[in-house]
């Protein structure tokens, strides 16, 4: 039996979603192979939630002290969306103390969490991305007009964010200032990006037994203007069609691009690539290296459509990250 630390929480606007993901993994983990522990990590502290109690985690070696006995973890299941779980910080810590973790490594996590840098690398691999400009807090020249480089409508988003928090679709120059303020409230870096009109498709990819596997492509149809926070988490505001109602060759193309990116970016565990399909081409928006795993999330739907149970996928993720 392996002791599995399911880490959840984190310090971003996604912490509640992450707690739902963690609870879901805890619920489905195979008890014949693993003993799961749910651990909430945040700036307020790191605690194991067990039997209605909160046991503090010893940060020097990531252990628990229970009735005078030290409890070690064999592996970490990462369910933290956003910082510090999706941007490489926690991966660096687990690397340093030598505990394997289900998600991508330090460099891949840090690169992919930075939407702007990730788009540049992805573009160099021959995949289309929307034209964009990256702004840093406190360094914007007031005479600089973003709209000389970016057409309207455009998206203004925190460069290191998720769940559409702090994001706006901007239709004209009058709306820019408010959108920038909202995005800078979440992050010191803001990405301004051309709007791409098209269908929203997303593809989950995993490596298991050394093989890269793409799940069925899924279409996101939002009733709101775009796939914003409300559409993501409020019942009935978005429809996720798995598998997407698209031609076989379009679906194959999406899966092939996603598997190629997974391999070239050196991802680990389950990740989800988001695209807008427009003019017969895929425009890469972002990759989620710790995608949502709650009951409402997209990945569980993809996994079931692929014919696996969640229990099976979690076992595969853990077994894969234990391979030396
Ligand atoms: N350039 C764009 N063109 C069209 N829609 C976009 C664009 N950027 C973002 N969106 C919409 O906003 C949503 C969230 O954007 P995304 O970049 O995936 O950030 P997050 O990390 O918050 O999910 C997307 O799912 C899509 O609906
Ligand atoms: Mg997204």
């Amino acid at each position: 039996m392996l002791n599995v630390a399911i880490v959840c929480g984190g310090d971003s606007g996604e912490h509640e979603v992450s707690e739902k993901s963690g609870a879901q993994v805890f619920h489905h983990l195979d008890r014949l192979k693993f003993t799961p522990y749910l651990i909430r990590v945040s700036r307020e502290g790191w605690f194991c939630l067990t039997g209605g109690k909160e046991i503090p985690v010893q940060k020097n070696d990531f252990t628990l002290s229970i009735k005078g006995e030290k409890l070690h973890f064999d592996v970490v299941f990462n369910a933290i969306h956003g910082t510090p779980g999706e941007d490489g910080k926690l991966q660096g810590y687990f690397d340093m103390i030598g505990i394997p973790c289900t998600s991508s490594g330090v460099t891949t996590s840090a690169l992919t969490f930075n939407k702007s840098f990730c788009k540049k690398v992805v573009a160099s691999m021959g995949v289309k991305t929307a034209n964009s400009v990256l702004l840093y807090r406190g360094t914007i020249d007031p005479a600089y007009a973003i709209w000389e480089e970016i057409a309207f409508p455009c998206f203004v988003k925190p460069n290191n964010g998720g769940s559409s928090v702090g994001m706006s679709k901007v239709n004209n120059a009058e709306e820019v200032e408010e959108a920038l303020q909202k995005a800078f409230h979440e992050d010191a870096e803001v990405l301004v990006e051309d709007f791409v009109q098209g269908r929203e498709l997303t593809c989950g990819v995993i490596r298991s037994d050394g093989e890269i596997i793409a799940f069925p492509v899924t279409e996101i149809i939002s009733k709101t203007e775009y796939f914003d926070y409300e559409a993501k988490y409020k019942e009935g505001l978005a429809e996720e069609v798995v598998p997407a109602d698209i031609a076989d060759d379009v679906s194959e193309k999406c899966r092939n691009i996603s598997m190629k990116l997974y391999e070239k970016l050196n991802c680990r565990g389950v990740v989800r690539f988001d695209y807008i399909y427009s003019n017969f081409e895929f425009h890469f928006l972002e990759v989620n290296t710790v995608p949502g795993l709650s009951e409402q999330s997209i990945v569980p739907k993809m996994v079931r459509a692929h014919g696996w149970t969640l229990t099976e996928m979690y076992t595969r993720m853990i077994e894969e990250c234990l391979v030396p």
Side-chain angles (χ1 to χ4, degrees):
M1 284 286 241
L2 296 178
N3 285 340
V4 180
I6 303 163
V7 295
C8 65
D11 301 304
S12 76
E14 293 187 280
H15 70 272
E16 278 173 33
V17 183
S18 164
E19 289 191 12
K20 286 189 187 160
S21 293
Q24 185 76 348
V25 177
F26 185 84
H27 178 74
H28 287 280
L29 209 68
D30 189 346
R31 300 298 196 272
L32 297 175
K33 292 184 169 147
F34 310 114
T35 309
Y37 294 83
L38 201 54
I39 292 181
R40 194 193 294 135
V41 170
S42 80
R43 285 199 191 104
E44 272 81 64
W46 300 15
F47 295 100
C48 177
L49 314 170
T50 176
K53 281 191 300 203
E54 292 194 341
I55 304 172
V57 174
Q58 312 293 313
K59 288 185 185 166
N60 57 333
D61 57 0
F62 202 68
T63 58
L64 302 177
S65 176
I66 299 179
K67 293 185 189 127
E69 299 255 328
K70 227 179 190 352
L71 189 137
H72 291 266
F73 295 104
D74 299 291
V75 58
V76 169
F77 192 107
N78 185 7
I80 299 181
H81 319 306
T83 194
E86 201 167 354
D87 56 359
K89 290 176 184 150
L90 212 51
Q91 284 83 349
Y93 165 77
F94 289 123
D95 263 8
M96 287 175 76
I97 60 172
I99 303 182
C101 176
T102 51
S103 60
S104 304
V106 178
T107 312
T108 299
S109 303
L111 170 80
T112 52
F113 198 66
N114 186 314
K115 285 189 166 75
S116 175
F117 289 180
C118 186
K119 280 174 53 169
K120 289 190 169 35
V121 173
V122 164
S124 79
M125 294 168 178
V127 178
K128 267 208 172 330
T129 63
N131 181 36
S132 61
V133 175
L134 179 62
L135 306 172
Y136 296 111
R137 186 190 281 146
T139 64
I140 307 170
D141 176 352
Y144 171 65
I146 302 161
W147 46 95
E148 280 172 13
E149 283 177 60
I150 298 284
F152 293 109
C154 65
F155 272 84
V156 174
K157 46 176 119 169
N159 189 42
N160 307 276
S163 285
S164 306
V165 176
M167 186 177 295
S168 311
K169 185 178 173 196
V170 172
N171 297 300
N172 51 56
E174 286 80 65
E175 293 173 11
V176 170
E177 196 47 47
E178 193 184 330
L180 285 177
Q181 275 184 21
K182 188 169 147 193
F184 274 121
H185 182 72
E186 298 296 324
D187 192 3
E189 302 175 2
V190 167
L191 190 64
V192 185
E193 186 175 83
D194 275 347
F195 168 71
V196 185
Q197 175 80 53
R199 290 171 78 175
E200 185 158 359
L201 297 172
T202 181
C203 184
V205 182
I206 192 170
R207 194 195 305 257
S208 180
D209 289 332
E211 189 195 347
I212 296 177
I213 300 162
F215 294 127
V217 176
T218 301
E219 179 169 15
I220 297 164
I221 304 171
S222 310
K223 297 208 167 69
T224 47
E225 206 181 4
Y226 65 97
F227 199 32
D228 60 9
Y229 188 87
E230 293 229 299
K232 280 177 178 167
Y233 301 112
K234 265 202 190 153
E235 201 59 45
L237 287 185
E239 194 189 341
E240 284 120 20
V241 187
V242 201
D245 186 11
I246 49 176
D248 287 350
D249 62 324
V250 176
S251 157
E252 260 333 275
K253 192 172 171 196
C254 185
R255 288 159 56 113
N256 286 335
I257 294 172
S258 304
M259 288 191 288
K260 177 177 96 174
L261 290 179
Y262 186 101
E263 185 181 15
K264 288 190 180 275
L265 291 168
N266 195 21
C267 296
R268 183 163 58 223
V270 68
V271 314
R272 226 192 62 224
F273 296 92
D274 290 349
Y275 307 94
I276 304 288
Y277 183 63
S278 170
N279 282 326
F280 307 103
E281 280 193 290
F282 286 93
H283 296 252
F284 169 92
L285 283 185
E286 62 147 354
V287 50
N288 302 284
T289 59
V290 186
L293 296 172
S294 73
E295 198 52 66
Q296 296 92 321
S297 303
I298 299 170
V299 164
K301 292 175 187 155
M302 293 172 159
V303 171
R304 290 190 177 114
H306 179 69
W308 289 354
T309 62
L310 294 181
T311 302
E312 181 179 356
M313 180 178 73
Y314 300 148
T315 297
R316 284 172 180 269
M317 287 170 75
I318 292 172
E319 286 176 347
E320 188 66 20
C321 87
L322 290 171
V323 176

